[in-house]
């Protein structure tokens, strides 16, 4: 038995083939890479925080990664994070550090920023909540907001910031207190946390600068 296809049916089929071939030949993101325009920079906002329910997270800010030779963009963040840590402590905020690699707190990028006993953990991954006591420590202190700082931006800032948001915490990201090997990685991290990531993260995240944080 042979089926008959009307002229209109043949036209629909032909159009389908055209669309299929067009989609098969469509450029992918690698082909489009050079022509993609970066979106507008996210807006930065001033924030006022309650020190008693806030934790400042200083993530992997250590040698040898945070040096002019290894990661030059990290070096200018050290003074800003140090000043922020002083203000946070004065306001009664929790300050907590992580160390990757050997996990040695003596590798802190600046001895003046060294953690106190009980303020740090060794954790190698980008999400510092995984396999660590960080969540427990935050709950014990009644923390509702975390300020995420450190290096690298695309690793620990995105990983731990996202992890915090998914645990119901407010996330503050001072863009002058995160760093990476190159500017694009910091740009990616800022965009992901504020606009490009899932709503469960972006809805809970505020981008700012250290000088725009009040306690």
């Amino acid at each position: 038995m042979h089926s008959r296809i009307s002229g209109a049916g043949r036209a629909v089929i032909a159009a389908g083939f055209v669309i299929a071939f067009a989609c098969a030949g469509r450029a992918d993101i690698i082909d489009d890479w050079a022509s993609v325009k970066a979106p507008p920079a996210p807006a930065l906002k001033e924030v006022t925080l309650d020190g008693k329910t806030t934790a400042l997270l200083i993530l992997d800010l250590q040698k040898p990664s945070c040096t002019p030779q290894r990661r030059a963009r990290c070096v200018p963040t050290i003074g800003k994070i140090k000043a922020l840590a002083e203000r946070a402590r004065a306001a009664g905020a929790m300050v907590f550090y992580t160390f990757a690699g050997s996990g040695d707190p003596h590798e802190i990028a600046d001895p003046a920023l060294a953690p106190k006993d009980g303020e740090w953990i060794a954790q190698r991954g980008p999400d510092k909540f995984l396999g660590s006591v960080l969540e427990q420590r935050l709950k014990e202190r009644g923390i509702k907001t975390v300020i995420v700082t450190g290096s690298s931006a695309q690793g620990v800032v995105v990983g731990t910031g996202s992890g915090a948001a998914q645990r119901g915490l407010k996330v503050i990201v001072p863009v002058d207190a995160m760093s990476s090997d190159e500017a694009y990685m910091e740009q990616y991290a800022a965009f992901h946390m504020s606009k490009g990531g899932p709503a469960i993260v972006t809805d809970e995240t505020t981008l700012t600068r250290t000088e725009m944080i009040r306690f």
Side-chain angles (χ1 to χ4, degrees), residues 25-37:
R26 182 182 64 83
D28 57 35
I29 189 56
I30 301 302
D31 291 327
D32 290 341
W33 201 273
S35 64
V36 174
K37 182 179 179 181

Side-chain angles (χ1 to χ4, degrees), residues 10-24:
R10 286 194 296 272
V12 170
I13 292 173
F17 278 118
V18 171
I19 294 172
F21 280 119
C23 289

